[in-house]
Amino acid sequence: MASKPKPLQMALHKVIMVGSGGVGKSALTLQFMYDEFVEDYEPTKADSYRKKVVLDGEEVQIDILDTAGQEDYAAIRDNYFRSGEGFLCVFSITEQESFAATADFREQILRVKNDENIPFLLVGNKCDLFDKRQVTIETATAKAGEWNVPYVETSAKTRQNVDKVFFDLMCEIRDRKKEETAKPDGKKNKKTKKEGKRKKKCVIL
Amino acid sequence: MPKEPKVTGLSPNEGPPGTKVTIRGENLGTGATDLTGLTICGVNCLLTAEWVSPSKITCKTGLCKGKGEVIVTTRSGGLGTCTVTFRGYVMQTGPLEESAVWIDESTTTDKRGRSKSSSALFRKNEDPLGMSMEGKGKFPIDQLEEMFPEGSGDPSNDKFLSEWFLIENHHHTSFEDLKSGLSYLKRKSSQRSEGPLAFMKGNLTSIMDCQDALAAMHQDLLKDESTSEGGSITEKLESLLNKANDSANAMYQDVLGRKDKADATRNALNVLQRFRFLFSLPGSIERNIQNGDYDIVINDYAKAKSLFADTEVQVFKRVYLEVEKQIEAFRGQLTEKLMQLPSSLDEQSKLIRYLMDLGAPGDPAWDCLVNQQKWLLQLLLDCKEEHIKQAQSAPSVAGSEGDTPSHTPLKYRPSVGTPGSVFTPGRSSVKRMPSFGSTQSPDQAGWKFKTPQRVQFVDDLTDVLLENFPDLWKLWEGYSTGSLLNETAEKADVANQEKETQFKKMVEEVMAVYSKLLRAAFLPESLSSSPEERIKYGVWPEGKYDNMAHWLPQFVRTIRSCYGTLSGMNLPDETTHDVRDVAQDTRVHCVTTLLQQATEDVKALNDRETWTVERDDRGGITTLPLLFENIITELIQHLKEVVQSRAEESEIFRGADTRIKVSKLCEDMLSAFSVTMDQLAFRTDTEAETTCIASDSLLPTSQQPSSGHDELTSPSEHIPPLERRLVIVLSNCSHTREKVLPKLIDLLEKNGYPEVQKVQKGSQSCFSGLDEKLFDAYLEQKADPLVGALEPGVYAGYFMWNDCLPPRGVRNYVKEALMNLIAVHAEVFSISPLLVERVLSRLLQALAEEMLRLMECVTDWSRDGAIQARLELCALQDALALYKTPESSKSFHDALQIVPPVTSAADRKNLEELMNKFKSNMQLQLTCFRSDSLKRTLV
């Protein structure tokens, strides 16, 4: 009844989980969403989650798109990325390859979004398994510094830093949106461009 | 308050129909039963929903297309909401893609060749009149459908009706607006028709450029062609294209080959699926056979037969062959089972029906009949073997018992019930032999009360027959009437004639074997004497045969009940002839044997005479006649059942031979008693002595103290002197003749024994003969001394008739004779008063004759002598007047004639006085004769 108009007004932040297969994207998501840790591994195709959260006293909605890490789905990632407003790029600290792959994801996101400053967090998951660590904090931090993004280590199992990464990202998205509405340049221009494109009718030879 | 369900997460968020989706959220129900609804994109998926927890449900998507919400409804929270969306799409598996599922390609439409339906005048959601369609109330569709039943408001539809369209979309539009709309439409259509031209106009320069470029290209090409070596450029191009085609082919050959393979596999799968029934049939048949679901097997087989029996397809042929093989084995199994006996009729008919349903070759029912008959025969023979073996294993007992056959049988007849009643108190020789009893009685008792093997055999044999034969017959009835198998009803009719005679023969065989076995057991002499046959039907050890007699009635009963049952089954007459004959023969045999037995028993009665005379008003008899009567009555009672004919049987004494034989036996039996009595009466004393000694010697010394009483009752003590014996036997004899015999004859007649008259005559004559003999013997015993004493008595003291003293009274010899007569009288009277007159009158006769002879011898009479003689004769005559007979009277008369008459009155007076004196003196003695007469008058 009264709740219907509310979501319309409520801010919606679209977060996309990226990263290689098996690094714990879904685990992070489910831990964040439902406070549960899923032990059994089932490769994700594309999962959607959305819920209300309170961000700095403000009620907002977070929309999480949990994507497939497997290379099989690489081709359809473009579509997903396009709708994303912020990205959690996850790797497993116990797996060097997954860390290496973050570069590719970063590259792809930048290509699709065409925006260097897109909200982006580098997340080193499975930090509870420190005895199996392959990626040092230094390496990861260095990489994050290179990209000018924050680096956070998490554990979906212990829920360490789980809320932090999502809320940090949401803050960034929110700040970013405020920025955009404040000075209508750059991004806004892009938007108008897009709109213009849409209006122009296709001409078929 | 429970909150409404809310879906906040989907994994995955898109997929083709059938995708398994994990739905996460809040308040998704308190349990599986709380979940009442689940829709994905509006498609109900409740059926596949699986409730995991209040925050998790899994389900499979239905046939949904496009984006849509996932709505969960619970009983506790009602209709829910959703924050995420699911996108359904239909995935088309192309020919080059791998697929885990079978794809029906027949419905796949190749869209490549089809032109897009883009020729539609207007895009959807765009009003052809150039006006916004949003924001205005639409006209309800159902009303429109009523108005224009066959129309449509869709401009792209063939049945498009402008009225519909206008009412639907523009019933609020003003006329002015419609007018401008019309002009917009006109403009549009004119634009469209002159479109290409306008385009040409608008791009004239570009088009010219293109044309120029094309011309230049053409020239270049021509130049190339003319300048290049090795043929025209098109040739090169062609070869290049061919090469490209080849390589493309090579590239795709693999793929195409795989597709072909895949197609073939799919085809095979399809065939397997469609004809799964056939392919899985061997397995299912085996399984069902194991489970005993024969009906299913039969159905399956019938189905397979109708579907695939004439198939040309190799694969089917092979599988069908396998099925056939299995069914063949199954048939074999069933047949084996059918041949396995014993089994119930139901079971058999079920099996037969199965076999018929399975199309078994031949005639299983008939085979079953033949088999069962053979089995039954074997069973009968086996029964015989077993019993013979058992009988032979205990021959010693039979032998020892066989040594003393004569008196046991009737006592132990099971049907008599109270064998003690047959015993007489005095006849206790067996009882008085403890040593004999203690050593042998257990065995004997064991044997006595144990049914003899032969009787058991007959019972068992009959049981076997009656248990199994009805099944056989019922099976035949079912077979012949076709009720066994509905579908063979007509067939049975054809087979009937031939089979019926065959079956009749079979039944006859069974009956013949049965009856021959019975004959072998009880009537071995009635079998043919060929040794093989004797052996076939069993040779019974002979020892016990004599003791069989009292079992015979039971045997007869068994056989007759068997015959009754058999004839109750409506068997054809000729088949049961054998059994009937056996029944008949056994009855006759039974009767004759028992009659013989009774004769033996009667003959054995002489051992049981106690000589204790029991008197009644008619005369004294011993228990012997009673025993005799008992034996006969009991026998007749016993045979009553045997003799009586049942409805289905013929009269037992029908045959002339039988009649003669039986009547002879009856006569013998009755006459045997006379022989017995004869023996009793004339047994010499020495004989009695030896018997006594024999029995005494058997007494153990330990028994001496208590034997004092025994000695008193011992037979030797009891055997009275000859005269007494004679009288007793005579009394018994007459009693038997007058009382017992008519009773027995009557009984015989009532029970339908043949030629009773003859029997009566024979036995009567026998008894009267004995009576005569006894009587004569007795008279001889008595009359000789009496008569012999007369002559010395008359002439005692040198008495002379012509020279004697005047008579002073009756002389002593008369008194002596009278005293003797009184002694005889007493003796006879003590035993049988009825005999007194007969005896005394005969004695009187003898006396009178002797007196006459004496008188005739006298030549010279004195007066006194004449008086004396007359006195004595009169005294005698007077005293014994009661016993006078015509003969004695005549003798006395003649004697008195010889004696000179007494003429003088004084003499006459003297005579009278002397007579009175005699009477008064002898009154006491004479009363004895009188009292007899008094008694007789009283009687």
Side-chain angles (χ1 to χ4, degrees):
Chain A
M1 292 169 244
S3 62
K4 269 211 168 174
K6 251 189 186 174
L8 291 173
Q9 294 164 349
M10 214 186 291
L12 175 67
H13 303 309
K14 294 183 177 171
V15 175
I16 294 179
M17 311 290 291
V18 297
S20 305
V23 296
K25 297 181 294 295
S26 298
L28 281 172
T29 310
L30 291 173
Q31 186 61 269
F32 175 69
M33 287 290 294
Y34 307 109
D35 297 343
E36 69 176 73
F37 179 66
V38 185
E39 301 253 13
D40 42 329
Y41 176 63
E42 196 185 323
T44 309
K45 268 179 80 182
D47 297 355
S48 289
Y49 300 97
R50 184 181 290 197
K51 80 165 180 179
K52 253 185 265 175
V53 292
V54 178
L55 182 66
D56 295 340
E58 188 193 353
E59 213 173 43
V60 297
Q61 267 194 308
I62 179 167
D63 185 300
I64 304 168
L65 181 67
D66 185 12
T67 64
Q70 279 74 18
E71 281 303 308
D72 314 9
Y73 299 95
I76 53 172
R77 276 185 208 138
D78 278 14
N79 280 327
Y80 299 143
F81 291 176
R82 212 162 274 144
S83 65
E85 292 169 341
F87 295 87
L88 287 179
C89 185
V90 188
F91 69 93
S92 166
I93 62 159
T94 64
E95 193 188 348
Q96 184 62 49
E97 290 79 28
S98 70
F99 178 66
T102 56
D104 296 338
F105 284 105
R106 168 85 183 166
E107 196 185 317
Q108 197 177 2
I109 290 163
L110 292 187
R111 182 165 50 77
V112 171
K113 299 302 287 187
N114 195 18
D115 185 352
E116 285 280 345
N117 296 319
I118 189 82
F120 188 100
L121 251 71
L122 186 60
V123 177
N125 193 26
K126 307 194 185 176
C127 72
D128 55 306
L129 302 172
F130 46 84
D131 51 333
K132 289 183 189 163
R133 180 184 282 275
Q134 286 184 4
V135 183
T136 60
I137 301 179
E138 291 74 34
T139 327
T141 319
K143 183 74 112 185
E146 192 184 305
W147 292 340
N148 197 20
V149 296
Y151 171 65
V152 185
E153 294 212 332
T154 60
S155 166
K157 191 172 182 181
T158 63
R159 206 179 161 85
Q160 185 189 331
N161 287 339
V162 169
D163 285 347
K164 179 182 162 61
V165 289
F166 283 99
F167 278 97
D168 283 2
L169 187 65
M170 276 192 287
C171 285
E172 272 198 45
I173 296 168
R174 186 192 56 194
D175 295 349
R176 190 64 201 268
K177 280 179 181 169
K178 273 180 188 166
E179 260 173 53
E180 271 176 20
T181 46
K183 38 177 175 171
D185 63 332
K187 204 77 182 166
K188 244 232 163 135
N189 283 348
K190 225 186 237 170
K191 262 189 181 173
T192 49
K193 242 191 209 167
K194 267 186 191 166
E195 273 165 11
K197 241 185 201 169
R198 211 186 287 160
K199 269 182 187 169
K200 212 173 179 181
K201 298 229 164 69
C202 281
V203 177
I204 303 159
L205 255 170
Chain B
M1 203 188 118
K3 290 178 189 158
E4 61 182 24
K6 188 173 178 187
V7 175
T8 60
L10 289 176
S11 171
N13 61 6
E14 59 173 26
T19 308
K20 190 185 175 193
V21 180
T22 305
I23 300 164
R24 293 173 191 272
E26 302 156 18
N27 311 319
L28 301 180
T30 57
T33 51
D34 193 35
L35 186 69
T36 55
L38 173 62
T39 58
I40 297 175
C41 306
V43 179
N44 192 347
C45 300
L46 186 63
L47 202 68
T48 56
E50 196 179 318
W51 186 88
V52 182
S53 74
S55 64
K56 192 170 166 185
I57 293 171
T58 62
C59 83
K60 283 203 169 124
T61 61
L63 238 156
C64 61
K65 224 171 173 181
K67 269 196 170 181
E69 292 194 312
V70 176
I71 304 294
V72 173
T73 315
T74 63
R75 197 166 288 153
S76 58
L79 192 66
T81 57
C82 180
T83 60
V84 285
T85 56
F86 183 83
R87 190 174 72 85
Y89 57 85
V90 175
M91 210 160 52
Q92 196 106 64
T93 310
L96 299 183
E97 287 168 66
E98 284 178 27
S99 167
V101 293
W102 163 249
I103 291 157
D104 192 358
E105 280 168 310
S106 58
T107 59
T108 315
T109 47
D110 189 2
K111 282 180 182 154
R112 274 170 296 180
R114 208 175 68 176
S115 60
K116 281 184 181 171
S117 61
S118 58
S119 63
L121 273 174
F122 312 104
R123 257 181 257 165
K124 287 222 168 155
N125 301 328
E126 197 174 313
D127 192 86
L129 300 182
M131 281 176 292
S132 168
M133 285 157 66
E134 310 292 328
K136 287 167 192 167
K138 285 210 169 186
F139 202 82
I141 298 267
D142 34 336
Q143 277 190 33
L144 280 166
E145 273 172 353
E146 266 176 47
M147 279 191 266
F148 310 105
E150 290 200 334
S152 166
D154 184 2
S156 59
N157 197 305
D158 286 345
K159 292 170 183 170
F160 172 69
L161 289 171
S162 52
E163 292 91 338
W164 179 315
F165 178 78
L166 285 173
I167 292 171
E168 185 186 3
N169 295 303
H170 298 287
H171 66 282
H172 283 309
T173 315
S174 67
F175 185 61
E176 286 304 313
D177 286 348
L178 284 174
K179 257 195 194 164
S180 64
L182 181 63
S183 63
Y184 174 83
L185 190 60
K186 274 183 179 159
R187 200 166 63 240
K188 274 253 176 178
S189 67
S190 65
Q191 237 177 38
R192 199 165 300 270
S193 59
E194 62 192 26
L197 197 60
F199 182 76
M200 289 290 270
K201 272 181 191 168
N203 298 286
L204 192 59
T205 48
S206 325
I207 291 167
M208 292 306 282
D209 284 348
C210 285
Q211 205 161 19
D212 285 348
L214 282 169
M217 277 168 70
H218 186 234
Q219 268 186 347
D220 280 357
L221 277 170
L222 282 178
K223 203 166 72 187
D224 277 358
E225 201 170 340
S226 59
T227 52
S228 71
E229 300 151 37
S232 75
I233 192 167
T234 49
E235 257 174 54
K236 223 160 120 193
L237 214 59
E238 193 185 352
S239 74
L240 272 173
L241 281 172
N242 279 339
K243 232 187 258 171
N245 187 30
D246 284 351
S247 61
N249 270 347
M251 268 167 73
Y252 281 94
Q253 202 150 33
D254 188 31
V255 172
L256 289 172
R258 261 188 287 167
K259 181 186 181 320
D260 285 349
K261 250 192 229 166
D263 282 348
T265 310
R266 280 172 199 146
N267 241 331
L269 275 172
N270 205 6
V271 166
L272 276 175
Q273 183 74 12
R274 278 174 64 192
F275 299 104
R276 193 171 49 188
F277 164 69
L278 181 65
F279 293 117
S280 64
L281 195 57
S284 72
I285 284 179
E286 199 171 328
R287 202 170 48 246
N288 285 325
I289 289 174
Q290 270 168 9
N291 291 349
D293 296 334
Y294 298 150
D295 283 326
I296 301 175
V297 175
I298 289 163
N299 266 342
D300 283 354
Y301 176 62
K303 206 162 134 196
K305 201 174 178 181
S306 68
L307 284 175
F308 301 108
D310 307 322
T311 186
E312 293 295 327
V313 185
Q314 277 302 320
V315 182
F316 293 169
K317 259 187 191 167
R318 221 170 49 219
V319 178
Y320 183 70
L321 217 64
E322 198 180 327
V323 170
E324 279 283 11
K325 228 185 270 168
Q326 251 180 342
I327 292 293
E328 192 56 49
F330 180 46
R331 264 185 225 140
Q333 198 184 329
L334 283 180
T335 315
E336 208 173 286
K337 217 168 173 185
L338 182 63
M339 294 307 164
Q340 223 168 54
L341 290 162
S343 64
S344 72
L345 186 65
D346 281 351
E347 183 72 23
Q348 280 176 335
S349 46
K350 212 160 72 188
L351 286 172
I352 290 171
R353 215 164 293 149
Y354 285 149
L355 277 171
M356 295 304 285
D357 287 345
L358 285 175
D363 195 344
W366 178 250
D367 292 347
C368 177
L369 277 170
V370 172
N371 176 55
Q372 197 170 351
Q373 186 247 4
K374 277 193 190 125
W375 174 75
L376 182 55
L377 286 181
Q378 194 52 48
L379 218 58
L380 292 174
L381 291 175
D382 284 353
C383 181
K384 177 240 352 174
E385 287 300 332
E386 194 182 317
H387 281 277
I388 286 187
K389 215 185 282 167
Q390 278 185 28
Q392 279 166 345
S393 71
S396 56
V397 178
S400 72
E401 198 51 40
D403 294 335
T404 54
S406 50
H407 16 240
T408 41
L410 285 173
K411 293 180 209 164
Y412 300 108
R413 265 190 310 228
S415 55
V416 170
T418 53
S421 67
V422 183
F423 281 108
T424 53
R427 166 65 194 164
S428 52
S429 62
V430 174
K431 277 181 189 168
R432 290 192 294 105
M433 295 174 199
S435 63
F436 178 76
S438 64
T439 51
Q440 293 205 351
S441 61
D443 283 344
Q444 282 194 326
W447 179 80
K448 277 166 192 162
F449 297 107
K450 193 180 138 225
T451 321
Q453 204 64 42
R454 242 176 273 212
V455 178
Q456 258 178 21
F457 162 67
V458 170
D459 280 356
D460 287 357
L461 194 70
T462 309
D463 280 353
V464 165
L465 185 76
L466 289 185
E467 237 168 66
N468 296 297
F469 184 74
D471 277 354
L472 179 69
W473 178 247
K474 273 184 214 143
L475 195 65
W476 160 255
E477 275 182 331
Y479 175 74
S480 62
T481 58
S483 67
L484 196 61
L485 307 150
N486 293 333
E487 57 267 34
T488 56
E490 314 93 59
K491 212 167 98 190
D493 278 340
V494 182
N496 250 354
Q497 289 309 91
E498 187 193 342
K499 289 279 165 72
E500 204 170 312
T501 46
Q502 227 171 318
F503 183 73
K504 216 184 267 176
K505 254 183 220 155
M506 275 161 57
V507 173
E508 270 172 55
E509 194 183 348
V510 172
M511 294 304 157
V513 168
Y514 172 67
S515 49
K516 277 179 182 162
L517 284 172
L518 293 180
R519 277 173 196 275
F522 277 89
L523 306 159
E525 59 282 346
S526 70
L527 275 179
S528 89
S529 53
S530 80
E532 309 98 72
E533 203 178 318
R534 286 301 297 272
I535 284 160
K536 187 185 170 193
Y537 297 114
V539 182
W540 289 84
E542 278 305 309
K544 249 157 54 174
Y545 189 69
D546 292 334
N547 301 314
M548 280 302 152
H550 60 281
W551 289 102
L552 279 173
Q554 193 187 343
F555 172 56
V556 170
R557 208 176 303 138
T558 312
I559 294 179
R560 290 173 84 188
S561 75
C562 174
Y563 175 64
T565 318
L566 289 178
S567 51
M569 280 194 287
N570 294 326
L571 292 172
D573 273 351
E574 18 336 1
T575 53
T576 50
H577 274 178
D578 276 323
V579 180
R580 196 190 59 202
D581 290 350
V582 170
Q584 177 74 18
D585 287 358
T586 1
R587 280 167 72 198
V588 173
H589 176 68
C590 175
V591 169
T592 52
T593 311
L594 283 185
L595 286 175
Q596 276 165 1
Q597 191 70 57
T599 312
E600 290 300 317
D601 285 352
V602 169
K603 278 180 189 161
L605 274 177
N606 57 5
D607 282 351
R608 299 175 58 188
E609 178 59 283
T610 57
W611 302 114
T612 312
V613 175
E614 279 167 37
R615 290 190 51 166
D616 59 4
D617 45 354
R618 303 178 143 243
I621 47 164
T622 63
T623 49
L624 218 52
L626 205 63
L627 286 178
F628 167 67
E629 191 183 341
N630 276 349
I631 287 171
I632 307 293
T633 337
E634 241 169 54
L635 172 80
I636 289 169
Q637 279 299 329
H638 204 54
L639 281 176
K640 197 169 180 172
E641 192 196 356
V642 179
V643 169
Q644 268 171 4
S645 293
R646 294 190 194 167
E648 68 268 12
E649 290 169 336
S650 55
E651 178 62 34
I652 178 168
F653 304 116
R654 194 183 43 177
D657 291 353
T658 322
R659 289 176 74 87
I660 291 166
K661 196 172 166 196
V662 168
S663 70
K664 177 79 177 47
L665 280 168
C666 285
E667 199 179 318
D668 282 356
M669 175 176 74
L670 296 179
S671 311
F673 189 54
S674 71
V675 178
T676 307
M677 289 195 289
D678 193 358
Q679 279 174 354
L680 274 175
F682 297 108
R683 179 160 63 171
T684 57
D685 286 340
T686 49
E687 253 182 308
E689 209 73 29
T690 49
T691 319
C692 173
I693 288 162
S695 61
D696 273 346
S697 66
L698 282 167
L699 282 171
T701 45
S702 62
Q703 289 291 312
Q704 289 295 2
S706 64
S707 65
H709 172 73
D710 287 345
E711 271 165 17
L712 287 175
T713 56
S714 82
S716 59
E717 296 289 320
H718 267 275
I719 292 180
L722 182 63
E723 294 89 16
R724 197 172 156 74
R725 276 208 322 260
L726 284 173
V727 178
I728 291 174
V729 174
L730 194 60
S731 167
N732 280 346
C733 177
S734 63
H735 174 82
T736 308
R737 206 175 61 163
E738 280 157 30
K739 299 273 156 53
V740 179
L741 214 51
K743 239 194 270 178
L744 293 180
I745 292 291
D746 206 33
L747 208 57
L748 282 176
E749 196 155 26
K750 250 188 236 164
N751 278 290
Y753 283 83
E755 309 193 20
V756 179
Q757 295 302 322
K758 205 178 128 199
V759 174
Q760 185 182 16
K761 228 191 268 171
S763 51
Q764 281 288 8
S765 73
C766 192
F767 276 100
S768 25
L770 175 70
D771 187 81
E772 285 300 319
K773 191 176 163 194
L774 288 169
F775 190 67
D776 287 349
Y778 185 66
L779 280 184
E780 208 174 312
Q781 289 284 327
K782 291 295 165 190
D784 278 359
L786 185 72
V787 173
L790 272 179
E791 196 166 5
V794 168
Y795 296 107
Y798 304 104
F799 176 81
M800 300 295 285
W801 291 109
N802 50 3
D803 178 27
C804 62
L805 296 169
R808 280 186 309 223
V810 177
R811 280 185 304 165
N812 277 343
Y813 81 93
V814 174
K815 292 177 187 168
E816 205 175 300
L818 281 177
M819 289 309 284
N820 277 342
L821 277 177
I822 287 168
V824 172
H825 179 279
E827 186 177 71
V828 176
F829 189 85
S830 73
I831 291 161
S832 174
L834 289 183
L835 282 174
V836 171
E837 190 193 347
R838 188 169 161 216
V839 173
L840 286 187
S841 53
R842 283 293 298 273
L843 283 176
L844 177 64
Q845 207 172 313
L847 205 66
E849 270 168 29
E850 181 65 12
M851 286 309 288
L852 176 62
R853 190 183 66 82
L854 288 174
M855 293 303 120
E856 277 170 346
C857 289
V858 178
T859 48
D860 194 14
W861 293 93
S862 67
R863 199 176 116 259
D864 288 337
I867 293 169
Q868 186 75 40
R870 190 168 288 272
L871 172 69
E872 281 164 358
L873 279 174
C874 284
L876 269 179
Q877 194 177 8
D878 215 41
L880 298 170
L882 211 53
Y883 305 107
K884 67 174 179 196
T885 60
E887 287 84 13
S888 62
S889 300
K890 189 175 177 287
S891 296
F892 276 119
H893 181 74
D894 289 351
L896 286 172
Q897 288 292 314
I898 291 167
V899 177
V902 179
T903 45
S904 71
D907 286 350
R908 212 170 282 179
K909 200 184 166 199
N910 191 21
L911 187 66
E912 208 152 306
E913 272 171 16
L914 286 173
M915 197 70 193
N916 285 336
K917 192 177 157 200
F918 164 74
K919 275 179 186 167
S920 63
N921 281 350
M922 297 288 285
Q923 192 180 9
L924 200 63
Q925 282 81 353
L926 291 179
T927 326
C928 130
F929 300 117
R930 296 275 149 68
S931 71
D932 192 28
S933 74
L934 270 176
K935 196 168 194 174
R936 198 159 47 158
T937 48
L938 276 175
V939 170

